Structures are given as structure tokens and as C-alpha cells.
């Protein structure tokens, strides 16, 4: 009997020890856990993990930045923005050279509509980080695309980007966000939320409500909002209401969408892809709807803003085709040009394909460059 109780006691100790070893206990473990949750979009758990890291070592600026990013990524409320602002400010207090802290704080100010403080914090960030290029680039965008001086007073030419395209904020149709009406900004923020959630029906309803309430049949804008470069067009289509929207962050997930709707429902596609230096880079995923039902999914390899590889299309069993799930490779691209159509090789042409559409004309054409490269 004594031997049995001893075995049970040892087993309990072993189980407790195993549980303890699997639980994050160090600052690095909690911080890494927060980073993982943040990358997965699990913002509540990220906040908990970063808070635990801060309690272990309250002098590590990166943990405050991570928690600030999680607050911003969670439901957008005044309380969350205020909490994020406090975290970014604390990170800067601890480490004046932390680039992400300045960018995060600038993003909070943008969402609060405080453009003067946005410019001030970016200028301070440029000074404290020895003219970090990422901060200077965003400072240029926020200031309306005008030539910007670095901390030494040297003028920087911003007429064209590195791809030869017209600088985004210097294009004829560009409008600074402060020049838009409150209703237009509210509409854009709602559109951003809908497209990031792949919610085409919600975006269609927003577009219809805006057109109805504003009294304007057409809404067209090229602007910069909440760290995204945005191009949006809403207008009546021969099939009903048409909405196109493309949003790109400097670094992170961007989206491209086109939908039309009538009494039969919403048809169109919503595509997401990682951006690097404002350009599409990675494997894009596309969801296609036909009259409100899922028609197919597709993966599209992207490189420096252009399609580059085979497009793989999957038709689910629940598709309106009413057939078993199957996958096909129809088209293939190289440096933006289609080299295979429906599985058959084709002669290359001057039609360059970006994320959601093709652009006719050689890459030497300014209009082609402007369409593809932001």
C-alpha cells in the first residue's frame, strides 16, 4: 500500500513538472509567444503574452511595441488606441532609436486624425534614428508627397519611385486625406474593414448606402489612410453597382477587390497578398463569388508587383458548378506576361498582369508603370 501511494505521488510530481516546463516563463519566451499570436491575428492572446513579458522585464521597448501593435490590430476603439499610444510612447522613452515605436505612434495619430502630431513624431523619429529610410518615406507620403529634407537639410527628390512610376502622392488624382469630407473618410474606413475581412457583401452594402446618401453616382479616390495607399472607385455598372478597391501597406498584407451586384447577389473577387516596399510580393490568394456563392479559389504567385508563375484554381464541391472538388492550372506568367493560357503556350505580348488585372502597354509606358507600381 505504501509503495502504491509513493508511485501516485511521484506521478503527480512528474506531471506537474512537465506542465511547468511547457509554460513560457522567461521574457524571451513570452515575447516570442506574443509575436506568434500577433502574426496569427490573435490580438487578445498577443496582448496577454506581451503584458506577461513586460511584467518580467519592464525595460524592454520591443514588448511595448508588440503590445501596441496588438491593441491597434484588435477592435478599433478610443480605449485601444489610447492604450497603444501609451505603449509606443513608453517604448520611445526606453529606446529613442526604436523605429517601429515611431511608426506605430504615427499610425495612432493618423487614426485619431491628428496630422500635426503625426508629422512631428515622424520628424522626431527621423532625427533619432539617423534618417531611417522607412520613416522618411512615410513622412514624405504624409506630407503630401512634396520634396522632403532629411535632418541634414539635404533635399530628397520624390518625383518618381524606384520603379520609374510617378510618386503616389504626386499623381493628378491623388487627394490628401484631410481634403476629403468626414463622410468620405468614414466610408473609406468601412471599406478597409470589409475588404480585410473578405466581406464582399458588406462592402457592396456600404457602397450602395454611400451612393444613396451622398447623392453622387460616382466615388473615385486615390489617397493615403491609416498607413495604406488606396485606390477606390464606386459607380453604376451595366450589371448593377460596381466597386473596385486596391489597398497596399508599405509592409504587410494588402488587398485587391472588384465586385458587381444586382438583385441576383454579389459577383466578383477579393484577393490578398503580402506587400514589400508597397509592391505585391508573395503568393496571393483569391476568392471568387458568383451571385453570392463561392465559385472558386486561386493562388497567384507575385514578384515585384507582377504575376510570376502558375495560377492554381480550385473549384470546391459546394461550388455553383455542382461538381466534385477539383483543381486546375490554366494560366502561367513570367515577369507579368502570360506565357500559357488554358495550359497552352502563347506568344508573349505587351499585356502586363498585376494582382487583379492586366495593363496594356510596354513597361516603358508611364501609364503602365503608374498602374503597376505604387
Amino acid at each position: 500500500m505504501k509503495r502504491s501511494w509513493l508511485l501516485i505521488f511521484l506521478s503527480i510530481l512528474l506531471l506537474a513538472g512537465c506542465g511547468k516546463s511547457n509554460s513560457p516563463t522567461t521574457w524571451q519566451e513570452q515575447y516570442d509567444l506574443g509575436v506568434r499570436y500577433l502574426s496569427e491575428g490573435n490580438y487578445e492572446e498577443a496582448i496577454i503574452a506581451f503584458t506577461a513579458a513586460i511584467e518580467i522585464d519592464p525595460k524592454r521597448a520591443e514588448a511595448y511595441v508588440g503590445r501596441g501593435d496588438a491593441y491597434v490590430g484588435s477592435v478599433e476603439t478610443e480605449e485601444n488606441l489610447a492604450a497603444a499610444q501609451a505603449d509606443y510612447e513608453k517604448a520611445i522613452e526606453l529606446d529613442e532609436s526604436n523605429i517601429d515605436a515611431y511608426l506605430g505612434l504615427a499610425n495612432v495619430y493618423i487614426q485619431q486624425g491628428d496630422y500635426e502630431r503625426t508629422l512631428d513624431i515622424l520628424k522626431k523619429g527621423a532625427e533619432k534614428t539617423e534618417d531611417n529610410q522607412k520613416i522618411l518615406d512615410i513622412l514624405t507620403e504624409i506630407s503630401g508627397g512634396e520634396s522632403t529634407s532629411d535632418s541634414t537639410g539635404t533635399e530628397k527628390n520624390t518625383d518618381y519611385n524606384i520603379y520609374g512610376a510617378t510618386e503616389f502622392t504626386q499623381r493628378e488624382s491623388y487627394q490628401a486625406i484631410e481634403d476629403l469630407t468626414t463622410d468620405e473618410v468614414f466610408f473609406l474606413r468601412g471599406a478597409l474593414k470589409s475588404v480585410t475581412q473578405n466581406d464582399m457583401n458588406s462592402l457592396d452594402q456600404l457602397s450602395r448606402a454611400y451612393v444613396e446618401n451622398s447623392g453622387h453616382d460616382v466615388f473615385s479616390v486615390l489617397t493615403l489612410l491609416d498607413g495604406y495607399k488606396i485606390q477606390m472607385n464606386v459607380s453604376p455598372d451595366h450589371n448593377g453597382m460596381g466597386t473596385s478597391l486596391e489597398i497596399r501597406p508599405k509592409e504587410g498584407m494588402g488587398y485587391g477587390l472588384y465586385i458587381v451586384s444586382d438583385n441576383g447577389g454579389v459577383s466578383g473577387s477579393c484577393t490578398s497578398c503580402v506587400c514589400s516596399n508597397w509592391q505585391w510580393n508573395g503568393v496571393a490568394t483569391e476568392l471568387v463569388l458568383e451571385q453570392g456563392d463561392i465559385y472558386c479559389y486561386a493562388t497567384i504567385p507575385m514578384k515585384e508587383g507582377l504575376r510570376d508563375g502558375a495560377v492554381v484554381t480550385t473549384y470546391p464541391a459546394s461550388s455553383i458548378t455542382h461538381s466534385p472538388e477539383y483543381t486546375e492550372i490554366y494560366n502561367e506568367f513570367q515577369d507579368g506576361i502570360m506565357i500559357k493560357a488554358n495550359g497552352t503556350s502563347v506568344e508573349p505580348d505587351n499585356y502586363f498582369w498585376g494582382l487583379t488585372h492586366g495593363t496594356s502597354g510596354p513597361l516603358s509606358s508611364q501609364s503602365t508603370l503608374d498602374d503597376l507600381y505604387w
Side-chain angles (χ1 to χ4, degrees):
M1 178 65 70
K2 290 182 178 179
R3 179 178 176 82
S4 298
W5 280 110
L6 179 60
L7 289 173
I8 293 171
F9 181 70
L10 288 174
S11 297
I12 292 172
L13 286 179
L14 286 172
L15 287 173
C18 290
K20 185 176 181 181
S21 64
N22 289 330
S23 178
T25 57
T26 68
W27 180 90
Q28 190 66 56
E29 288 175 328
Q30 289 290 358
Y31 177 77
D32 290 342
L33 185 62
V35 171
R36 178 165 68 82
Y37 282 136
L38 190 61
S39 68
E40 294 171 349
N42 194 343
Y43 301 117
E44 290 185 5
E45 293 296 328
I47 291 170
I48 293 172
F50 285 126
T51 299
I54 289 169
E55 289 174 351
I56 295 171
D57 187 350
K59 294 186 178 182
R60 300 293 292 267
E62 54 266 49
Y64 290 93
V65 172
R67 191 170 68 176
D69 291 345
Y71 277 124
V72 171
S74 58
V75 179
E76 184 179 315
T77 63
E78 291 183 5
E79 291 77 13
N80 282 345
L81 288 178
Q85 178 178 336
D87 277 343
Y88 293 134
E89 289 174 345
K90 182 63 177 179
I92 292 171
E93 176 187 325
L94 293 171
D95 180 9
E96 288 191 331
S97 65
N98 192 299
I99 297 165
D100 292 331
Y102 290 106
L103 295 176
L105 187 53
N107 182 43
V108 169
Y109 289 152
I110 289 172
Q111 295 192 51
Q112 293 172 339
D114 194 335
Y115 297 97
E116 184 173 350
R117 292 179 77 184
T118 302
L119 291 173
D120 288 342
I121 197 62
L122 288 173
K123 289 176 181 177
K124 178 182 177 181
E127 177 186 350
K128 297 295 183 180
T129 61
E130 299 181 347
D131 298 318
N132 174 265
Q133 192 59 50
K134 183 183 290 188
I135 292 178
L136 289 175
D137 287 345
I138 296 178
L139 181 58
T140 299
E141 297 289 345
I142 297 296
S143 62
E146 300 171 357
S147 294
T148 308
S149 299
D150 61 17
S151 61
T152 65
T154 303
E155 288 291 320
K156 294 182 175 288
N157 184 5
T158 58
D159 290 338
Y160 299 96
N161 62 27
I162 62 174
Y163 301 93
T166 304
E167 190 65 44
F168 189 79
T169 55
Q170 294 186 3
R171 301 181 183 188
E172 276 188 32
S173 54
Y174 177 81
Q175 293 174 271
I177 197 68
E178 57 264 32
D179 294 333
L180 301 179
T181 67
T182 301
D183 287 343
E184 289 171 336
V185 174
F186 182 81
F187 175 40
L188 281 174
R189 283 215 164 95
L192 286 176
K193 184 176 181 180
S194 294
V195 74
T196 56
Q197 296 176 350
N198 266 355
D199 193 343
M200 291 182 259
N201 289 302
S202 174
L203 182 57
D204 176 60
Q205 293 169 8
L206 278 171
S207 297
R208 289 178 175 275
Y210 176 80
V211 168
E212 181 179 345
N213 295 330
S214 67
H216 300 296
D217 289 339
V218 177
F219 174 73
S220 181
V221 68
L222 192 74
T223 192
L224 182 70
L225 174 65
D226 297 346
Y228 289 105
K229 290 180 177 179
I230 302 172
Q231 183 174 38
M232 185 173 188
N233 294 284
V234 178
S235 63
D237 184 89
H238 65 279
N239 292 320
M241 175 67 69
T243 301
S244 64
L245 175 63
E246 187 171 336
I247 64 172
R248 306 186 194 181
K250 185 175 179 65
E251 305 289 338
M253 190 65 70
Y255 301 83
L257 174 145
Y258 178 73
I259 56 174
V260 294
S261 65
D262 54 23
N263 293 331
V266 175
S267 299
S269 65
C270 184
T271 310
S272 59
C273 184
V274 171
C275 287
S276 176
N277 195 30
W278 304 109
Q279 314 308 322
W280 306 112
N281 276 292
V283 178
T285 58
E286 180 184 40
L287 169 65
V288 180
L289 293 186
E290 186 68 37
Q291 301 259 306
D293 294 320
I294 295 175
Y295 182 68
C296 66
Y297 304 93
T299 57
I300 309 169
M302 301 295 300
K303 181 180 178 182
E304 292 295 318
L306 298 172
R307 297 189 180 190
D308 192 52
V311 177
V312 180
T313 304
T314 300
Y315 298 86
S318 60
S319 166
I320 60 174
T321 59
H322 302 295
S323 59
E325 180 173 314
Y326 65 99
T327 298
E328 292 185 338
I329 299 177
Y330 279 137
N331 303 326
E332 189 171 345
F333 299 83
Q334 185 174 14
D335 296 327
I337 294 179
M338 185 181 294
I339 58 175
K340 284 186 179 180
N342 297 324
T344 303
S345 297
V346 295
E347 286 294 324
D349 55 19
N350 278 331
Y351 204 74
F352 289 85
W353 284 82
L355 184 72
T356 60
H357 63 281
T359 300
S360 181
L363 282 181
S364 59
S365 165
Q366 193 63 55
S367 61
T368 300
L369 290 171
D370 289 353
D371 190 31
L372 294 172
Y373 300 108
W374 288 10

